[in-house]
């Protein structure tokens, strides 16, 4: 056995990144299972006479949880009974796509020491711009989609940039100004959707005019209309953000800003200007989420509704945390969350009594809590401390926070 | 007056150009507000043709003496108010007023502006439209209570140095447990106690993860909000929706009428004929104020929030105090959640709908002080109430945009345009001994 293999085997039992992430997932699944049992009145009554007939409660609970997670697996990864075996995977990818953009939109400013909690407003204003271009402009097919994509990015970038500008110019903390902008954007959306310019005259409810067919992102292959070009965009975005962050001058400046703003300033890097850049990019990425919601095939109406953000702005934060702020990590985390979402919907449809898909939100939140607190996982499973050279990337495992040190400091300034 | 001028002189010198800039900004803003009142409200089409404003003065839903409607000619009153505002703005622009006069001036301007807006919105040449003032105030109280309680929760936590972005989750979980336990025990008040405990439990979770496991606190708050949303949404759908009567059915709060005070003209039924929690909320504001600024606990809390190492040196148990304060804050927010449920009698999915984040804004807008939080919550509640009460009056300003006003104001506040806000120095920073 080579030394390298020995080191890897020894590393599995220590609190390194991989082990912590896997165990965090296991713990979250267990907690989700407990929630499923707690929500079943019949099972609770069986637990009530546990000491007379322990098997009733145990087997009943096992069945409940196993059925739930099996249905989830069938909905997200592979279903042996389905006609199209690859369909669940496609659903997972479709659900993961907006989360990739949202995760990147949080991860990128994270590296620069900024916390982007304003995804909701960036997404909404991006959607407003994208939808408007989608139903007013007349252009041939590829050009129109491109215009919609650009409009969405500009809309999101405007809001993100405003947050950055308020921080850089006036010292307004980005978390607070973002929360305010979220609420303002919600109000603006609620108003716009009722105005003549946006409201669909054929509908009674609060919904905008649908975008034209030329503004829709084309499907990748005919048999599954849900899987569309936005997934390609997401892959490009991951590559681009990776390149910007690790190979470009801008990325170097942003990372310098994130690890030590004072040193960055001394080295001649303009803190305020780069803060604005980081938030502009983040906003543009969030605008792409809006494009997937409007021009994608996920929603059948291809129009703005008051609930179009659907919590994705906040889910992006959890995706970025789970992905530890790295582009590829974000993509993997988005895939996991996409699988949970797709599986959750399938589970809700397949189980009786229904297991609501909200359990997915719980599982997602719990994973992130454990990933962010490796010390907690280490204590629960009595893992060893990470030793130098255990496996690659082990050094980050026991770090208390995935955010750069300055994000912690700057968060403290005004919250 | 002479004393005030002397007292103000050193600050004017020390303030230098920054004070001047702020004077110009404030003065100009006030003059613009006056011009908006004059041209938009006073001389606009809505107040033309001798329109008169009708304010209803009786709260129909509560007992009390009937007060006749207040009718006055719209245009002259609004124009007069606009002139007052412009003059005050000009005065502000021209001379460096002492702090107390600045505060009084700003208050008068805000009052005139709000009154002119209401007079304008209820103006009608035929005299048919009316705005019922006590209804606006009553909705304000109802909307402000969860914000005050949530914000108090934020204040006690953040004063000791732990950021609480999880107010939303604490409100939601508190409300959920109130509905669940209250229905199971057939007692709303046992439910309220359960809600308070549930909020404290969420506070404990926040405290343990932030203080012991050092998770970045803003991130943690967001994640805990998601957790609360998921757990309550899941249990709501699997338990409450299928079996409303045995899990989610409460008799809403009844009002407690304070004899004597409740008979005060117009104000009485609004201020002194409310459910018990409204009085408790106001009482808690006073209690936390006294506690923070006049007791040993408060001094220690503030010390730990500003400079934990120094507090530790003189023997204050930093971490223990933080645990206690964050749990106490959670309990306050839990009570806010109980109010949301007890007010309507049942829980609905995501019923807080961002109120926790607004409470967080109230913490900052109120500059981390209990009375500041109360004022901010009242302001947010008032605009909310005004937007909903004027929605039937067909204003040219959409009510959806009106509801965003407090957020715009907060945005200006954090950008330092209204005045600088400063958090406790150690807010959000974990304390690691050694």
């Amino acid at each position: 056995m080579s030394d390298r293999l020995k080191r890897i085997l020894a590393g599995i039992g220590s609190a390194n990144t991989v082990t912590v992430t896997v165990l965090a997932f296991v713990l979250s699944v267990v907690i989700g299972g407990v929630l499923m049992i707690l929500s079943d009145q019949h099972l609770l009554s069986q637990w009530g006479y546990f000491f007379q007939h322990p098997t009733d409660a145990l087997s009943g609970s096992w069945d409940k949880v196993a059925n739930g997670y099996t249905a989830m697996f069938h909905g997200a990864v592979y279903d042996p009974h389905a006609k199209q075996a690859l369909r669940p995977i496609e659903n997972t990818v479709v659900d993961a796509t907006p989360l990739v953009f949202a995760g990147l939109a949080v991860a990128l400013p994270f590296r620069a020491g900024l916390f982007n909690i304003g995804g909701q407003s960036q997404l909404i204003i991006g959607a407003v711009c994208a939808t408007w271009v989608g139903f007013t402009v007349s252009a041939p097919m590829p050009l129109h989609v491109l215009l919609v994509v650009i409009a969405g990015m500009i809309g999101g970038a405007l809001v993100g940039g405003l947050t950055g500008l308020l921080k850089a110019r006036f010292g307004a903390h980005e978390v607070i100004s973002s929360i305010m902008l979220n609420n303002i954007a919600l109000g603006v959306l609620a108003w716009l959707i009722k105005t003549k310019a946006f409201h669909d005259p054929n509908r009674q409810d609060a919904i905008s005019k649908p975008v034209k067919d030329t503004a829709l992102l084309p499907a990748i292959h005919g048999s599954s209309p849900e899987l569309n070009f936005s997934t390609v965009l997401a892959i490009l975005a991951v590559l681009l953000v990776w390149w910007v962050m690790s190979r470009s001058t801008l990325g170097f400046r942003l990372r310098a800003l994130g690890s030590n703003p004072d040193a960055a300033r001394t080295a001649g890097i303009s803190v305020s200007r780069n803060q604005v850049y980081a938030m502009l990019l983040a906003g543009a990425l969030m605008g792409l989420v809006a494009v997937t919601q409007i021009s994608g095939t996920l929603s059948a109406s291809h129009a703005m509704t008051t609930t179009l953000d659907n919590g994705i702005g906040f889910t992006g934060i959890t995706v970025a945390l789970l992905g530890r702020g790295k582009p590829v990590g974000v993509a993997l985390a988005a895939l996991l969350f996409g699988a949970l979402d797709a599986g959750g919907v399938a589970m809700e449809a397949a189980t009786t009594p229904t297991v609501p898909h909200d359990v997915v939100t719980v599982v997602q939140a719990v994973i992130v809590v454990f990933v962010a607190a490796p010390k907690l996982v280490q204590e629960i499973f009595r893992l060893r401390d990470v030793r130098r050279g255990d496996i690659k990337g082990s050094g980050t495992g026991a770090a208390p926070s995935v955010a750069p040190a300055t994000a912690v400091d700057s968060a403290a300034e005004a919250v | 007056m002479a004393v005030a001028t002397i007292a103000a002189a050193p600050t004017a010198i020390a303030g230098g150009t920054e004070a001047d800039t702020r004077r110009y900004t404030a003065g100009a803003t006030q003059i613009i507000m006056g011009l908006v009142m004059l041209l938009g409200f006073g001389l606009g089409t809505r107040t033309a043709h001798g329109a008169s404003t009708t304010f209803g003065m009786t709260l129909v839903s509560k007992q009390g003496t009937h007060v006749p409607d207040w009718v006055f000619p719209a245009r002259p009153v609004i124009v007069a108010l606009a002139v007052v505002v412009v003059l005050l703005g000009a005065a502000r622009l021209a001379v460096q007023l002492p702090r107390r006069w600045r505060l009084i001036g700003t208050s008068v301007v805000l009052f005139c502006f709000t009154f002119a807006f209401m007079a304008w919105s209820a103006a009608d040449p035929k005299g048919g439209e009316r705005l019922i003032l006590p209804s606006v105030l009553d909705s304000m109280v109802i909307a402000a209570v969860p914000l005050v309680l949530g914000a108090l929760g934020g204040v006690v936590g953040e004063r000791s140095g732990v950021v609480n972005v999880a107010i939303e989750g604490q409100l939601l979980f508190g409300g959920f447990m109130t509905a669940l336990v209250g229905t199971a025990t057939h007692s709303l008040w046992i439910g309220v106690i359960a809600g308070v405990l549930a909020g404290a439990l969420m506070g404990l979770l926040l405290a343990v993860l932030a203080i012991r496991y050092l998770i970045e606190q803003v991130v943690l708050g967001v994640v805990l909000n998601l957790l609360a949303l998921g757990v309550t949404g899941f249990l709501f759908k699997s338990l409450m929706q299928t079996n409303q009567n045995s899990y989610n059915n409460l008799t809403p709060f009844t009002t407690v009428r304070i004899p004597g005070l409740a008979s005060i003209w117009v104000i009485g039924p609004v201020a002194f004929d409310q459910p018990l929690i409204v009085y408790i909320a106001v009482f808690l504001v006073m209690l936390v104020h006294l506690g923070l600024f006049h007791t040993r606990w408060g001094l220690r809390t503030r010390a730990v929030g500003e400079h934990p190492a120094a507090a530790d040196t003189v023997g204050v148990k930093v971490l223990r105090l933080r645990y206690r304060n964050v749990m106490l804050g959670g309990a306050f927010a839990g009570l806010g959640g109980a109010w949301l449920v007890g007010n309507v009698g049942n829980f609905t999915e995501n019923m807080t709908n961002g109120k926790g984040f607004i409470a967080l804004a109230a913490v900052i807008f109120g500059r981390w002080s209990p009375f500041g939080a109360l004022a901010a919550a009242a302001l947010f509640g008032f605009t909310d109430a005004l937007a909903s009460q004027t929605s039937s009056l067909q204003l040219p300003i959409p009510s959806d945009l009106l509801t965003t006003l407090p957020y715009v104001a907060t945005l200006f506040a954090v950008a330092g345009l209204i005045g600088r806000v400063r958090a406790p120095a150690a807010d959000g920073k974990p304390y690691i001994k050694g």
Side-chain angles (χ1 to χ4, degrees), chain A residues 374-393:
Chain A
K375 203 171 132 199
L376 181 57
V377 179
Q378 196 180 351
E379 282 175 15
I380 292 172
F381 291 99
R382 298 175 185 282
L383 298 175
R384 288 191 314 276
D385 281 337
V386 177
R387 280 195 317 260
R388 231 165 216 288
D390 268 356
I391 64 170
K392 195 171 174 253

Side-chain angles (χ1 to χ4, degrees), chain A residues 65-284:
Chain A
V65 175
N67 285 341
Y69 283 125
T70 311
M72 224 169 176
F73 184 79
H74 287 172
V77 185
Y78 174 72
D79 186 354
H81 309 299
K83 283 181 201 138
Q84 295 165 290
L86 283 178
R87 196 56 190 273
I89 289 274
E90 284 179 3
N91 287 342
T92 294
V93 172
V94 168
D95 280 352
T97 302
L99 296 180
V100 172
F101 295 121
L104 291 175
V106 178
L108 192 147
F110 230 45
R111 298 289 292 278
L114 294 163
F115 186 60
N116 183 14
I117 195 177
Q120 196 176 29
S121 54
Q122 294 151 17
L123 203 166
I124 287 173
I125 302 303
V128 167
C129 295
T131 313
W132 190 78
V133 170
F135 67 69
T136 50
V137 174
S138 293
M141 167 61 193
L143 182 66
H144 198 183
V145 181
L146 194 66
L147 288 176
V148 168
V149 168
I150 292 170
M153 288 173 78
I154 290 176
L158 281 179
V159 181
L162 178 64
T163 315
L165 196 69
L166 285 171
K167 164 126 187 160
R169 174 76 181 78
F170 300 105
H173 193 267
E174 75 271 14
V175 170
I176 302 310
S177 53
S178 294
I179 291 172
M180 295 308 119
L181 283 171
N182 283 348
N183 283 298
I184 294 170
L186 281 171
V188 169
L189 176 68
W191 164 65
L192 270 183
I193 237 168
K194 289 182 209 145
T195 58
K196 262 211 182 95
F198 276 88
H199 185 251
D200 185 349
N202 304 321
R203 294 278 292 260
Q204 293 297 311
D205 52 339
I207 190 163
S208 78
K209 295 173 201 164
V211 297
K212 291 178 182 162
D213 285 348
T214 45
L216 297 182
L217 289 157
I220 287 177
H221 65 95
S223 63
S224 66
E226 278 85 6
L227 191 63
N228 61 49
F229 210 72
S230 59
T231 305
V232 178
L233 278 180
I235 296 167
L236 288 178
V238 170
L239 293 175
L240 193 70
V241 171
W242 172 82
W243 183 82
V244 166
M245 288 317 286
S246 53
R247 291 291 180 273
S248 74
T249 323
L250 175 65
F252 174 75
R253 288 186 181 138
L254 293 181
R255 279 182 290 132
L257 204 65
S259 41
N260 190 339
D262 293 329
R265 191 182 287 113
T266 311
I269 294 170
S270 164
V271 173
S272 52
R273 188 182 303 162
N274 284 293
Q275 280 177 338
V276 176
Y277 288 160
M279 289 307 292
L280 274 173
L281 287 173

Side-chain angles (χ1 to χ4, degrees), chain A residues 368-370 372-376 399-401 408 411-412 415, chain B residues 157-158 160-166 170 201-224 318-327 426-433:
Chain A
V368 174
V369 166
F370 283 120
K375 203 171 132 199
L376 181 57
S401 169
V408 181
V415 175
Chain B
E158 301 208 5
S160 69
V162 180
V163 172
N164 189 355
V165 184
Q170 293 161 353
L201 191 70
M202 283 289 288
L204 179 65
L205 192 61
L206 173 75
V208 170
L209 292 172
I211 297 169
R212 184 171 159 78
Y213 295 103
L214 310 174
I215 302 183
E216 205 285 305
Q217 291 167 11
V218 177
V219 173
L220 176 62
V222 173
V223 176
L224 287 183
V318 174
L319 302 187
R320 196 168 71 185
L321 190 73
R322 284 187 173 175
Y323 272 111
R324 276 190 200 163
N325 280 13
V326 175
M327 278 178 71
D427 204 4
K429 290 179 188 161
Y431 179 64
I432 302 158
K433 208 166 175 167

Side-chain angles (χ1 to χ4, degrees), chain B residues 334-349:
Chain B
L335 186 64
W339 163 262
L340 288 174
V341 166
N343 207 24
V344 289
N346 54 25
F347 178 86
T348 45
E349 198 179 357

